[in-house]
């Protein structure tokens, strides 16, 4: 992690575990907060942004940090659990400095910031002393430009607002994050950086992340994309999530994007938009695992094992007459995952189908769906029309999305719910 005993490159801190004096993990580092200073003086490191187990982001002053070694952060026992709010005088290193173009003072050459190093100048006092930069490509045959580490005083441009900053190095810092965690990172970036990161993500990754973001962030990001790319992103999203997003857009904008989508991708989204938002039809996904009765247990397990299958949908397969795309042929019943594990691989699933569980009509209200899942201990339920065609499946995660408060993604625990022990009352 360190280039010298008292130097830490900040990208190496991303995701580092934060421990209290007893050795209990309290969170992970998500960014470093610095204060820029006039006259070319190195910025002072104010503290760390840590994400605790409730996904709340808190501020951890450097005066509370006792050690930055071996990929972990050790702290004193007193941590303020108040939510971190960035002040106008503060700069986030990972969120705002990486990928910035700055100028080498000696030559006037523009370079790109790849990383920043902070150095300890006295006990629990740190400042940004070094900048790791990359020169522009030297020629057509060179894949990357030369990299070098320079003193903070050797560059200018960090205090200037920059358009088109890029996000490659920021994304590299967070590439191992799950979509929900990367969504949380995006939510806490400025609107400018959020748009730059979204532009840098590939379609599949951005689609996964959008599904985990609050609706306001989804609308903001999709609105800043070119229409053709926005349509591609919607195609990559689960149909129910795409429908939820489109329902938040003005009608003309939603219709324009639907027309740009491939017809076979747009059609299930249009069907979902025709139902009430809090009904089984509005909550369902149109892509459950559907098999014909002459498929074998081995066939069913192969579908369940597919990496792209969400766990709730992989808990059971739906047995139907052809066609197998929703709306299907006649719905026959379901086979639960545990039953598949108990049967020989050559067994036909038509012989083990559960026909006793009544499916849900598409107009079933949310309260009834919730009771249904709880009563039968299910994580997903079939949605069937009057003609016995399977329309889709409602999963427990979609139900929870509509039961939880609108801001649940930002925090699952309020400050008042936290134990008083180990929490200080003072602000920054």
């Amino acid at each position: 992690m360190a280039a010298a005993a008292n130097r830490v490159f900040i990208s190496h801190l991303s995701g580092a575990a934060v421990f209290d004096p007893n050795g209990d993990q309290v969170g992970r580092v998500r960014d470093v907060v610095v204060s820029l200073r006039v006259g070319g003086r190195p910025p002072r490191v104010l503290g760390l942004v840590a994400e605790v187990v409730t996904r709340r982001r808190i501020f951890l002053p450097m005066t509370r940090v006792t050690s930055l070694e071996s990929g972990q952060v050790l702290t004193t026992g007193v941590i303020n659990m108040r939510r971190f709010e960035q002040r106008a005088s503060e700069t986030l290193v990972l969120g705002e400095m990486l990928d910035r173009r700055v100028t080498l003072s000696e030559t006037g050459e523009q370079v790109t910031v790849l990383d920043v190093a902070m150095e300890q100048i006295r006990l629990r006092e740190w400042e940004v002393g070094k900048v790791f930069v990359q020169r522009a490509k030297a020629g057509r045959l060179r894949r990357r430009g030369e990299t070098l580490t320079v003193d903070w005083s050797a560059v200018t441009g960090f205090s200037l607002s920059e358009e088109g900053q890029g996000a490659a190095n920021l994304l590299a810092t967070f590439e191992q994050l799950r979509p929900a965690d990367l969504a949380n990172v995006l939510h806490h970036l400025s609107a400018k950086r959020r748009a730059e990161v979204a532009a840098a993500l590939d379609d599949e990754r951005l689609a996964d992340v959008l599904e985990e973001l609050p609706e306001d962030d989804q609308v903001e990001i999709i609105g800043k994309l070119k229409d053709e790319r926005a349509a591609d992103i919607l195609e990559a999203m689960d149909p129910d999530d795409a429908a939820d997003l489109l329902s938040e857009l003005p009608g003309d904008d939603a219709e324009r994007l639907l027309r740009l989508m491939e017809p076979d991708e747009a059609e299930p989204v249009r069907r979902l938009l025709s139902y009430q938002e809090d009904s089984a039809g509005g909550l369902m996904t149109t892509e459950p695992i559907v098999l014909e009765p002459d498929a074998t247990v081995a066939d069913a397990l192969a579908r369940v094992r597919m990496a792209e299958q969400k766990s709730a949908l992989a808990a059971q397969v739906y047995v139907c007459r052809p066609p197998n795309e929703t709306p299907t042929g006649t719905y026959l019943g379901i086979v639960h995952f545990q039953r598949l594990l108990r049967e020989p691989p050559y067994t036909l699933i038509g012989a083990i189908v559960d026909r006793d569980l009544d499916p849900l009509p598409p107009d079933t209200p949310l309260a009834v769906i919730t009771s249904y899942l709880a009563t039968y201990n299910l994580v997903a339920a079939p949605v069937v029309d009057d003609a016995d065609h399977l329309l889709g499946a409602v999963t427990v995660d979609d139900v929870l999305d509509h039961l939880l408060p609108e801001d649940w993604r930002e925090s699952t625990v309020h400050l008042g719910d936290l134990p008083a022990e180990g929490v200080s009352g003072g602000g920054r």
Side-chain angles (χ1 to χ4, degrees):
M1 176 182 291
N6 62 343
R7 181 185 303 164
V8 179
F9 279 92
I10 291 176
S11 69
H12 296 174
L13 278 176
S14 175
V18 180
F19 294 93
D20 66 15
N22 296 324
D24 296 323
Q25 184 174 336
V26 296
R28 289 190 177 277
V29 176
R30 293 305 182 208
D31 217 320
V32 175
V33 185
V34 301
S35 175
L36 299 178
R37 296 192 280 192
V38 298
R41 296 169 61 199
R44 185 165 63 93
V45 180
L46 303 178
L48 311 177
V49 179
E51 185 177 297
V52 295
V53 292
T54 60
R55 300 183 69 181
R56 176 190 297 271
R57 289 189 168 211
I58 64 170
F59 178 72
L60 181 60
M62 293 307 294
T63 55
R64 301 293 188 191
V65 175
T66 58
S67 175
L68 293 172
E69 295 180 0
S70 304
Q72 61 188 26
V73 178
L74 302 182
T75 71
T76 64
V78 181
I79 297 177
N80 189 334
M81 297 301 290
R82 181 176 299 148
R83 186 187 304 278
F84 169 70
E85 296 288 346
Q86 185 180 0
R87 297 172 178 172
S89 60
E90 297 172 344
T91 299
L92 298 176
V93 174
L94 299 180
E96 298 175 283
M97 285 188 173
L98 265 59
D99 302 292
R100 178 176 284 274
R101 291 189 298 274
V102 294
T103 303
L104 294 178
S105 301
E106 186 175 342
T107 63
E109 177 186 3
Q110 278 209 329
V111 292
T112 300
V113 178
L114 302 183
D115 206 347
V116 173
M118 63 184 195
E119 300 175 342
Q120 189 171 19
I121 54 177
R122 56 181 63 90
L123 182 64
R124 300 188 188 180
E125 188 172 339
W126 297 71
E127 66 181 19
V128 172
K130 300 289 183 180
V131 185
F132 183 51
V133 300
Q134 182 179 52
R135 288 191 164 108
K137 296 178 182 179
R140 291 184 179 180
L141 299 180
R142 294 190 62 178
R143 295 181 61 189
R144 305 184 67 178
E146 178 190 359
T147 58
L148 62 159
T149 301
V150 298
D151 291 335
W152 174 268
S153 60
V155 298
T156 60
F158 277 106
S159 61
L160 302 177
S161 177
E162 182 178 350
E163 297 300 324
Q165 185 173 336
N169 295 293
L170 176 61
L171 286 176
T173 303
F174 296 122
E175 65 180 350
Q176 300 301 321
L177 293 182
R178 293 184 176 186
D181 295 324
L182 182 53
N184 198 33
V185 170
L186 257 67
H187 176 69
H188 289 89
L189 295 177
S190 66
K192 168 183 171 292
R193 288 300 276 151
R194 197 155 44 234
E196 290 163 348
V197 171
L201 289 170
D202 63 56
D203 289 355
E204 293 289 340
R205 180 71 158 158
L206 180 55
D208 290 341
V209 171
L210 275 179
E211 292 174 358
E212 304 295 338
L213 280 168
E215 291 173 350
D216 289 348
D217 290 343
Q218 292 182 354
V219 171
E220 173 196 297
I221 290 172
I222 209 76
K224 291 182 179 179
L225 301 177
K226 293 183 178 179
D227 284 353
E228 291 76 10
R229 189 179 184 216
D232 291 340
I233 300 300
L234 289 166
E235 289 176 0
M237 295 175 70
D238 287 342
D240 54 325
D241 291 308
D244 288 343
L245 173 50
L246 286 171
S247 69
E248 297 298 319
L249 300 178
D252 291 344
D253 293 345
E255 182 58 33
R256 184 176 67 255
L257 293 175
L258 281 166
R259 288 200 202 99
L260 289 172
M261 294 171 65
E262 293 293 330
D264 60 341
E265 298 283 356
E267 194 274 333
V269 178
R270 288 186 184 276
R271 278 195 285 117
L272 290 168
L273 287 169
S274 70
Y275 298 110
Q276 290 290 332
E277 181 182 359
D278 57 354
S279 68
L283 293 172
M284 69 183 179
T285 177
T286 58
E287 298 178 344
I289 301 175
V290 179
L291 290 172
E292 297 177 26
D294 59 354
T296 66
V297 166
D299 296 328
L301 289 174
R303 290 287 300 277
V304 167
R305 280 196 299 266
M306 294 176 68
E308 62 269 22
Q309 291 290 356
K310 293 186 176 180
S311 56
L313 286 176
Q316 55 208 30
V317 299
Y318 301 86
V319 185
C320 304
R321 302 289 183 191
N324 296 340
E325 299 294 327
T326 56
T328 67
T330 303
Y331 169 76
L332 301 176
I334 62 177
V335 180
H336 299 280
F337 174 61
Q338 283 187 321
R339 181 65 186 272
L340 293 172
L341 294 176
R342 291 197 297 264
E343 299 292 338
Y346 53 79
T347 304
L348 299 182
I349 62 172
I352 58 173
V353 65
D354 182 353
R355 304 174 189 269
D356 296 332
L357 201 62
D358 292 331
L360 298 171
D363 59 354
T364 305
L366 179 61
V368 175
I369 300 169
T370 306
S371 298
Y372 179 97
L373 294 175
T375 299
Y376 298 110
N377 297 315
L378 297 173
V379 294
V383 181
V384 175
D385 64 15
D386 292 337
D388 287 335
H389 301 140
L390 180 69
L391 302 177
V394 178
T395 57
V396 67
D397 54 319
D398 290 321
V399 172
L400 287 173
D401 278 348
H402 286 73
L403 290 176
L404 290 168
E406 290 186 3
D407 63 348
W408 72 267
R409 295 182 187 276
E410 299 182 37
S411 175
T412 56
V413 176
H414 297 289
L415 184 61
D417 298 328
L418 293 168
E421 183 178 353
V423 180
S424 71
R428 288 196 275 156

